[in-house]
Amino acid sequence: MNMNPLRSPLVLPEDLLLIPVTDLPAAVRERLGDGGEEFALTRLHAREPSKLIDAAAAGLIENFREPRTVVQAVIAYSRDARLDPEHTLEQALPLLRQLIATGLLVPESSDGAKRIDATLAPGAGVGGYRVMRVIQLLDDSELYQARAANGACAALKLARRGHETTMRPRLVREAKALRRLAGAAAPELLAEGEHDGRPILAIAWVAGVDGMTAAEELRQAGNRAGMLTLRRRVAEAYAAIHGLGVLHGDVHPRNLLVGRAGEVTLLDFGFAQIAGMGFDPRERGGVGFFIEPESATRLLEDQPPLPATERSEQFAVAALLYLLAARHHYVDFTLQHDEMLRQIRDATPLPFAERNAEPWPGLEAALSRALAKVPGSRYPDMATFSAALAAVEVAGRAPAIVHGDDRNALVASMVEFVDLDGPLFRDGLPHGPLSSVNFGAAGIAYALYRLACARDEPRLLAMADAWLDKAAADAQRDDAFVNREMDLTPETVGRVSPYHTATGIHLVRALIDSASGNRPGCHAAVAAYAEAVDQPCSERDLALGRCGTLQAAALLVESIPDLGPRLREVLVATSSARLRQLWSEVEDFDDVQEGRDWANMGVAHGWAGLLYVSLRWHTATGAPLPSGVAARLDQVFRCARPTGRGLGWPWRHGPANQTPDASMPGWCNGSAGILPLACLAYRVLGDVRCLEHAEGAAWHCWEAGDGPADLCCGYAGRAYALLDLHHTTGDPRWLARAGALADRAVRVAPNLRTPQHPRHSLYKGELGLVVLLCELNRPGAASMPLFGEEGRG
């Protein structure tokens, strides 16, 4: 067999990309420098960094999209370019050998030619664990989140097929390091072994976010003391492992996790150096930005890197801490390899002031010593470096956090937008649904009612009354509650949903008349509501079906104290019968996690909604809880998946779920809907596990990243969920985080207006956000519109 790769057919991996440099962001192009290269060669999920090549090399490499020998590719390229094949081959051989060595050009039949995809599917059994989702894919390894039979979560690190020889010593080294550390600043090793001939480790799951995320959160909050504490704890973590004879060997922000209380855990010890074990220069890890000058010098001289030492790792940690403090590396690194090494060897750290960061003389001095070019000029060890950081004063000023003006401007703008003298009221809404609570005039009326209560302004209540009259007047139009372009049809919105049908008009009328002191009108509206919802409906969920009618009934019972015994009896009797009917339907459904009978788990459309309205009906009326509540609640909670510092829930589960990894922070199908369910369950049942799940959901709501501004899927709904946890625990940090999410919503709201997210929509536009902004001034009374427990403050 011919084993010479230059004589065998070679091919580019399926997922290799050849990107023109001009298509890269300007900031990246600037860091690349002007080396004459015109293309970036990169492979998704590969450890190997992108390689820059010129147009001629790119033209040659494109010939390997189909399997070809080197000679065949060179001849084809030379023919098209009218070049001498022999000269082309001589010029191209160094590059081709480099691409083969780095796995960017591979034998046609090798595993490396295939796209880097997960080899384990969710639900797959591995030893005593069941895979939940993929966390990370690399060309040589795969990382999964899995759950043991006892419910504990683990990280499974598995070598990819074809990389067993490379990964086995790394996983053996990581296992030895973790055993030695025994949980000190590192995860616990649970098991090591083989799966399908590939080495695998099971490591205890650690909740947390990466260092950059944690640092930015503290920076946004203006918490300079917390920022300094984070840096000290990172240094202490490295001092702890050094004291146990372990050098990490792979310092960068993603290899540390920061937990809920600021605790720091170091990850990925595959390149660790352990006292008593030999050193192989080929196994020296590290990311370029954090390499120490002494190794950069060796690499520039084409010498193998030096073994890591406590002082070389101290340099890497200081480079990391500088990045966490200033949001930039300690010098303006180019991405040209040799030039970057020269910068590491020669360039001195820039002052924070040149990084648009608040000067911090004490911290900058401590970092500068640890970043000294000569190892002997650094601190003698990490413990001493950590002590120096502990002695730094919290100097300077916290960044000003201004939000009041922006909030007030958006509220004023919205009130003007829906004013009775404005074109929206005069000319009518631009498209249907014209009358619904979710999208139409009934939602505008309800929002104005909530604003009137929050601001104690009778004029707003009068505006609410006028908008509700408009909703009622248009209720018989074809587009009153439907919009086929938005997939809102009689088939999808049903016949009884307070959010999408005429029943919502009766609900809002009852609330407005109650606030206005119009008792006869209020009672008539409640009676009309009870009659309107007392009809067949196949949908069971909260947003579109029968669960929503129970939520509305609970709201009426709570908000209108003078219903009168007869009207209350009718409302309670019909709603209680409906609740019994719902639980009878689901009694024989399979486990929530299986999801064959009812796949959706979220509040708006799934199990969480049924559980929430059951608890709400119990608290509103004192009716006994259905017998299945506790068991189904436990099933929902067992579907939680650790994510960052919190917990996420798949928005669907079971066979109907086409994307089993999908989770979201929003109210309708995500953590912001699970959170109020967990809080209410804790208040009703007193089970501390409910509160633990509420806190996990809250962390996911807080740290899940960007989103729209609205109540349904966006920041406003997430903020209301955090307010619910604040109400339950009294913890002021969740009130502050709710305000921060509201401010994010204010910033993005004007850029997100579309026909599907019209500004005037209560749940999909800015209207619900404006209610939130006003209620943040009286957070004790705040509640998710037409969902939470209103009037409690």
Side-chain angles (χ1 to χ4, degrees), residues 326-388:
R327 303 175 72 189
H328 298 277
H329 293 289
Y330 62 93
V331 296
D332 285 321
F333 284 117
T334 177
L335 297 183
Q336 295 281 349
H337 182 260
D338 285 356
E339 181 58 31
M340 177 190 288
L341 293 175
R342 281 188 282 272
Q343 288 178 301
I344 294 170
R345 183 190 64 189
D346 302 330
T348 56
L350 294 169
F352 281 12
E354 294 187 27
R355 293 308 202 182
N356 291 322
E358 178 72 19
W360 203 334
L363 178 59
E364 292 179 66
L367 294 176
S368 292
R369 179 174 174 183
L371 289 168
K373 301 300 180 184
V374 179
S377 299
R378 300 171 198 153
Y379 293 98
D381 51 42
M382 282 297 304
T384 309
F385 179 29
S386 177

Side-chain angles (χ1 to χ4, degrees), residues 409-434:
L410 184 60
V411 172
S413 173
M414 179 58 73
V415 171
E416 181 180 4
F417 181 60
V418 300
D419 195 280
L420 304 186
D421 294 329
L424 190 68
F425 185 82
R426 183 183 63 246
D427 301 334
L429 303 185
H431 56 75
L434 301 179

Side-chain angles (χ1 to χ4, degrees), residues 608-629:
L610 174 59
L611 289 164
Y612 182 77
V613 299
S614 299
L615 291 164
R616 287 279 285 116
W617 191 242
H618 167 76
T619 58
T621 67
L625 285 172
S627 59
V629 166

Side-chain angles (χ1 to χ4, degrees), residues 590-600 607 653-657:
D590 61 1
D591 190 292
V592 172
Q593 189 163 358
E594 298 300 325
R596 288 184 296 270
D597 297 309
W598 195 5
N600 204 302
W607 281 104
H653 219 300
N657 186 4

Side-chain angles (χ1 to χ4, degrees), residues 591-791:
D591 190 292
V592 172
Q593 189 163 358
E594 298 300 325
R596 288 184 296 270
D597 297 309
W598 195 5
N600 204 302
M601 198 179 311
V603 150
H605 303 292
W607 281 104
L610 174 59
L611 289 164
Y612 182 77
V613 299
S614 299
L615 291 164
R616 287 279 285 116
W617 191 242
H618 167 76
T619 58
T621 67
L625 285 172
S627 59
V629 166
R632 294 298 189 180
L633 188 66
D634 182 64
Q635 290 172 16
V636 168
F637 287 163
R638 281 194 281 110
C639 292
R641 298 169 174 176
T643 175
R645 287 168 289 189
L647 296 172
W649 278 260
W651 71 282
R652 282 183 177 154
H653 219 300
N657 186 4
Q658 299 301 311
T659 53
D661 288 346
S663 63
M664 60 175 290
W667 171 83
C668 55
N669 288 301
S671 300
I674 300 289
L675 198 164
L677 166 64
C679 283
L680 183 55
Y682 172 69
R683 295 195 294 270
V684 171
L685 304 176
D687 188 339
V688 71
R689 292 176 300 173
C690 298
L691 186 58
E692 291 169 357
H693 282 86
E695 290 173 341
W699 279 106
H700 188 221
C701 289
W702 166 241
E703 66 189 22
D706 296 339
D710 60 48
L711 289 176
C712 181
C713 308
Y715 287 129
R718 290 158 64 179
Y720 266 120
L722 299 191
L723 286 175
D724 210 333
L725 186 58
H726 167 63
H727 295 148
T728 302
T729 64
D731 188 338
R733 291 173 294 185
W734 292 115
L735 173 59
R737 290 171 183 142
L741 289 182
D743 290 330
R744 291 187 211 173
V746 170
R747 288 193 293 271
V748 303
N751 304 319
L752 301 177
R753 298 167 187 165
T754 67
Q756 288 72 34
H757 292 80
R759 187 181 183 192
H760 63 264
S761 170
L762 177 66
Y763 266 78
K764 292 289 190 177
E766 296 166 45
L767 199 56
L769 169 60
V770 166
V771 175
L772 168 68
L773 296 178
C774 288
E775 292 188 341
L776 282 170
N777 297 322
R778 296 175 52 201
S783 66
M784 178 77 168
L786 284 179
F787 177 76
E789 300 168 80
E790 297 188 13

